Amino acid sequence: MNILFIGPPGSGKGTQSKLLQDQYGVVHLSTGDMFRTAIAQKTEVGIEAKGFMDRGEYVPDAVVINLIRDRLKQPDIKMGFILDGFPRTEPQAVALDQLLEELGLKLGGVFFFDVNKDLLVKRLSGRRTCKNCNRVISLDQLGTPIANERCQKNPVGPCEFYQRDDDRADVVEKRIDVYQKQTTPVIDHYRKNKNFVHLNGAQNPKEVFKLIDAKIRAS
Ligand code: AMP
């Protein structure tokens, strides 16, 4: 099962990826998470990506494509994968088509998460992310049992939540604008795919998961 999630920041791609990962044991490939790890480890890619991310801009295509090319060649990809946040531009979509062909891989589902801008701004500026496992909760869940669940990357304690720099109000607007300009053509690129699904991402995450799961089971 190889799946693609396309949608604006805050549309629920990461949340659904984690649910699918738990259910099916597939690999979650989030280019945003990969860049944040690279930044924390101060690698060359991390240093290059940081300025773009802080400004809410996209990292150059060549950098992202190389990152994904290397990752898709790892052996765990055979378990199936979810691509979350890649491709985000037309050249990235073309590069992915070529790469999948080269590796003999196929996409079993392309899910487009549609959410209006007001809700995205509300969700992004109110979300908190675990600095270890990248789990996301909303501000009003802090202090509740959901927030205190054990962290998957820190077996001795709960998640440690923080606000991502790019989830601050001024950067959020910019990220949504960049998405609208640069990622809209990617949706059209996949619309003709027979496994393309247009989801209402404003629904409750459990409802969204039911729809995705039903589609996966049917295909
Ligand atoms: P995300 O966690 O998916 O919201 O990504 C955070 C940031 O990482 C984005 O705002 C971009 O700066 C960068 N990024 C992640 N994926 C890509 C991509 N496919 N193309 C370009 N930049 C990306």
Side-chain angles (χ1 to χ4, degrees), residues 9 13 30-33 35-36 49 52-54 56-61 64 84-89 92 127 164 166 175:
K13 306 184 300 297
S30 152
T31 38
D33 287 350
F35 284 130
R36 280 183 286 280
F52 295 100
M53 291 175 72
D54 286 349
E57 294 167 9
Y58 283 172
V59 176
D61 285 336
V64 196
D84 160 12
F86 179 92
R88 261 170 150 114
T89 65
Q92 291 179 22
R127 83 176 175 184
R164 278 170 45 178
D166 61 352
R175 287 167 67 204

Side-chain angles (χ1 to χ4, degrees), residues 50-175:
K50 189 171 186 320
F52 295 100
M53 291 175 72
D54 286 349
R55 292 190 296 275
E57 294 167 9
Y58 283 172
V59 176
D61 285 336
V63 178
V64 196
I65 292 167
N66 280 335
L67 192 75
I68 283 294
R69 177 178 292 118
D70 290 346
R71 189 63 187 87
L72 286 179
K73 289 180 180 168
Q74 302 297 315
D76 61 343
I77 291 302
K78 291 194 187 73
M79 316 263 295
F81 59 82
I82 307 158
L83 271 173
D84 160 12
F86 179 92
R88 261 170 150 114
T89 65
E90 180 68 19
Q92 291 179 22
V94 172
L96 180 64
D97 288 346
Q98 287 169 355
L99 193 56
L100 292 177
E101 171 107 40
E102 202 180 299
L103 299 171
L105 298 168
K106 283 206 179 339
L107 293 176
V110 179
F111 295 90
F112 163 44
F113 291 60
D114 200 359
V115 179
N116 71 56
K117 186 173 174 180
D118 289 348
L119 183 56
L120 293 174
V121 172
K122 187 165 166 246
R123 280 187 183 170
L124 286 168
S125 39
R127 83 176 175 184
R128 296 295 179 268
T129 305
C130 172
K131 69 176 189 187
N132 302 309
C133 73
N134 297 305
R135 184 161 73 94
V136 166
I137 61 164
S138 62
L139 200 53
D140 54 13
Q141 289 174 320
L142 277 177
T144 69
I146 292 174
N148 291 327
E149 278 171 23
R150 217 185 63 194
C151 175
Q152 290 189 344
K153 288 277 167 71
N154 173 15
V156 291
C159 289
E160 295 177 75
F161 292 102
Y162 77 114
Q163 183 177 35
R164 278 170 45 178
D165 286 344
D166 61 352
D167 280 347
R168 293 179 197 279
D170 50 332
V171 188
V172 159
E173 292 274 344
K174 171 81 179 285
R175 287 167 67 204

